[in-house]
Amino acid sequence: MKLAFTKMQGAGNDFIVLDACHAQFALDAGQIRRLADRHFGVGCDQLLVVEPPTREASAAGADFRYRIFNADGGEVEQCGNGARCFVKFVHAKGLTTKREITVETLGGMIRPRLEQDGEVSVDMGAPVPEQPLLQTIVVDDAPVELAILSIGNPHAVQRVADVNAAPVGVQGAAIEHHPRFPKRVNAGFMQVLDPQRIALRVYERGAGETLACGTGACAAVVSGILRGLLVSPVAVETRGGRLTIAWQGGDNAVWMKGPAQTVYEGVVEI
């Protein structure tokens, strides 16, 4: 089977994007892992699928359904950098002319908007902090304080003194698979540079460390605002580029703005 795809990236977080608006998506977890493999496949952090909305979501105003599969083949609730690529993709493919679209995800409705400067803003919905926000777990016999919250998907964010020296690979994996998180979690490592700027690295559930994580950036900023460390809007410096996150607190939506680009298009044999 030959499969047409588009390779895209948002702040270095890279994706394979598939159009399933007119043909049913039928890849299994093994095929997704093969596609995501950077040596034997195309290579990506996540595979994104564009589908028509379900009947219920369409009645609620959704234009598309957005499905996200991590590199390990597992389907997940949300991906912020992917959402920015999603709106660029549906415009480029002529699937919509709307600059702002409503998109159904497993984590709820989101609203990506194509801005005049070519970047994309996304209404990521209201965050859901756990109570209490700050919780301590033991990782490798040492206590780690985490801010735990959801941006449509689960995040555990810790503050570090130097993000470049943080043990993201080892500790991130341990936090992802910690018994405290039976469905696993995205592990964020946040360095506060000033009240409106942070540096961030994220070990993503099912993908490992990525160059950027949109929902991770949202989670880090929300946690920092709730802790009194940050003031909206906040510039988030990732290894793949800068994102801007704004949140006015309470039940207000988190807004994320950043780049999204097509890298190339191709056909791969499955």
Side-chain angles (χ1 to χ4, degrees):
M1 178 178 68
K2 291 187 176 181
L3 183 70
F5 68 92
T6 300
K7 185 72 182 287
M8 303 189 74
Q9 62 89 12
N13 195 185
D14 66 333
F15 310 100
I16 296 170
V17 189
L18 304 180
D19 180 357
C21 284
H22 306 292
Q24 185 175 2
F25 174 74
L27 297 181
D28 61 30
Q31 291 170 318
I32 292 170
R33 287 194 296 271
R34 184 80 174 187
L35 278 174
D37 191 289
R38 297 187 185 277
H39 300 286
F40 296 101
V42 176
C44 68
D45 294 322
Q46 282 91 17
L47 181 142
L48 312 179
V49 184
V50 182
E51 293 183 342
T54 60
R55 183 177 302 175
E56 296 82 1
S58 180
D63 298 294
F64 298 97
R65 183 186 185 197
Y66 166 37
R67 299 179 68 188
I68 306 122
F69 296 85
N70 279 338
D72 66 358
E75 187 169 7
V76 295
E77 304 92 342
Q78 194 57 275
C79 176
N81 289 326
R84 297 199 314 277
C85 291
F86 188 101
V87 70
K88 282 281 189 87
F89 178 88
V90 296
H91 265 264
K93 295 298 182 181
L95 299 174
T96 186
T97 57
K98 295 180 180 179
R99 296 194 72 83
E100 180 170 326
I101 58 175
T102 300
V103 180
E104 171 192 8
T105 76
L106 281 179
M109 295 286 198
I110 60 170
R111 292 167 182 82
R113 182 175 67 217
L114 185 60
E115 303 289 3
Q116 294 294 335
D117 64 3
E119 290 200 336
V120 177
S121 296
V122 187
D123 172 349
M124 297 296 294
V128 182
E130 287 207 1
Q131 298 298 330
L133 173 69
L134 294 176
Q135 300 180 30
T136 299
I137 65 172
V138 176
V139 178
D140 295 329
D141 299 322
V144 179
E145 185 180 59
L146 301 169
I148 302 175
L149 66 162
S150 172
I151 309 288
N153 59 351
H155 288 268
V157 183
Q158 64 177 290
R159 186 182 183 187
V160 296
D162 181 357
V163 75
N164 291 317
V168 176
V170 174
Q171 196 179 85
I175 293 171
E176 177 195 359
H177 294 281
H178 194 277
R180 168 63 182 78
F181 307 106
K183 294 184 178 180
R184 298 187 295 163
V185 73
N186 300 288
F189 298 76
M190 172 182 71
Q191 178 184 353
V192 177
L193 302 173
D194 64 50
Q196 291 191 297
R197 191 165 63 99
I198 66 172
L200 180 71
R201 293 169 65 186
V202 179
Y203 192 95
E204 292 198 48
R205 178 181 58 167
E209 184 179 5
T210 56
L211 290 178
C213 175
T215 57
C218 295
V221 169
V222 168
S223 72
I225 291 172
L226 289 172
R227 296 177 66 182
L229 304 172
L230 301 174
V231 178
S232 179
V234 177
V236 180
E237 306 288 351
T238 75
R239 292 190 163 187
R242 173 181 286 193
L243 303 174
T244 302
I245 309 299
W247 182 55
Q248 299 306 314
D251 292 331
N252 289 298
V254 181
W255 280 90
M256 172 185 58
K257 184 174 185 287
Q261 295 180 331
T262 295
V263 181
Y264 62 87
E265 295 189 342
V267 176
V268 62
E269 189 167 319
I270 302 295

